């Protein structure tokens, strides 16, 4: 019995060592189209554009399934003339766990779908310089943690044994952020972080 158990154990170790274990890293440049809702003492909405970058490490279980741990840093800046000259800066630092399903289209091209959940640290600050007879306000930065999630799809091209190139479209929700209240008017700004992301990925296989 001991010999059988030992033989099975050695066989399992041998098979595991022979199995192809694919660890990889990802570096990404992201174009962000953001659609926040800015709320003060009046309803107001606007669309912002900005950028981000992502770093991730992933593991391919087989040719169809993979998992990634991703870190994203996003910064949005908005300069707007409304009743006053407003400047707003939103910052997001998110850690996301992604599940990925891949479908090999050809020997070199793979299509994939991905979904992820995680946590985001969101900061928001705003200031305004008065014009047209209005006074300026300062909304100090406030940081809070929010649940984050996203879903997307993309294509991945094998360039060599160790390097791939990808293009991805993803919808991400990093949660809301708000400023501290302004001393001048006891109001605050609040913004959502729902965004459409267009991402260029470079994959490095270990």
């Amino acid at each position: 019995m001991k010999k059988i158990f030992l033989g099975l154990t050695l066989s399992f170790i041998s098979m595991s060592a022979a199995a192809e274990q694919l660890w990889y890293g990802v570096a990404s440049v992201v174009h962000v189209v953001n659609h926040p809702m800015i709320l003060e003492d009046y309803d107001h909405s606007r669309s912002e554009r900005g950028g981000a970058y992502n770093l991730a490490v992933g593991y391919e279980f087989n040719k169809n399934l993979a998992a990634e741990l991703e870190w994203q840093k996003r910064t949005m800046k908005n300069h707007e003339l409304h009743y006053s000259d407003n400047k707003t800066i939103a910052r997001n630092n998110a850690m996301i766990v992604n599940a990925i399903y891949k479908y090999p289209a050809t020997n070199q091209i793979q299509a994939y779908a991905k979904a992820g959940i995680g946590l985001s640290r969101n900061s928001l600050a705003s200031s305004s310089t008065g014009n047209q007879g209005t006074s300026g306000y300062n909304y100090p930065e406030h940081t809070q943690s929010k649940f984050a999630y996203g879903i997307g799809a993309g294509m991945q091209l094998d360039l060599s044994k160790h390097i791939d190139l990808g293009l991805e479209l993803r919808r991400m929700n990093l949660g809301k952020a708000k400023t501290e209240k302004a001393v001048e008017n006891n109001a605050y700004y609040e913004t959502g972080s729902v965004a459409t992301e267009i991402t260029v990925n470079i994959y490095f296989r270990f």
Side-chain angles (χ1 to χ4, degrees), residues 8-74:
L8 290 174
T9 302
L10 291 175
S11 298
F12 176 77
I13 293 174
S14 177
M15 291 173 60
S16 298
E20 190 175 21
Q21 297 182 5
L22 296 179
W23 288 94
Y24 62 91
V26 189
S28 308
V29 177
V30 186
H31 175 69
V32 180
V33 181
N34 207 33
H35 304 281
M37 293 186 297
I38 305 296
L39 306 176
E40 196 192 27
D41 55 353
Y42 51 83
D43 290 335
H44 186 55
S45 62
R46 64 190 176 199
S47 178
E48 296 176 342
R49 294 180 181 271
Y53 60 86
N54 304 342
L55 296 173
V57 61
Y59 179 78
E60 290 184 335
F61 297 100
N62 53 48
K63 68 177 183 179
N64 297 117
L65 297 177
E68 290 178 358
L69 179 63
E70 173 191 354
W71 174 68
Q72 179 182 98
K73 183 177 179 64
R74 182 198 296 176

Side-chain angles (χ1 to χ4, degrees), residues 116-176:
I117 58 173
L119 189 69
S120 181
R121 292 282 288 170
N122 303 332
S123 301
L124 185 68
S126 185
S127 63
S128 62
T129 303
N131 58 23
Q132 299 180 5
T134 62
S135 59
Y137 304 104
N138 179 52
Y139 302 88
E141 185 178 63
H142 176 74
T143 302
Q144 56 188 345
S145 298
K146 291 291 183 180
F147 176 72
Y149 61 92
I151 187 169
M155 301 289 290
Q156 186 173 334
L157 173 65
D158 295 340
L159 297 181
S160 69
K161 182 178 179 180
H162 297 290
I163 298 178
D164 296 351
L165 183 66
L167 182 64
E168 179 179 305
L169 180 66
R170 183 165 64 164
R171 189 69 171 170
M172 285 292 297
N173 187 342
L174 300 182
K176 290 185 177 181

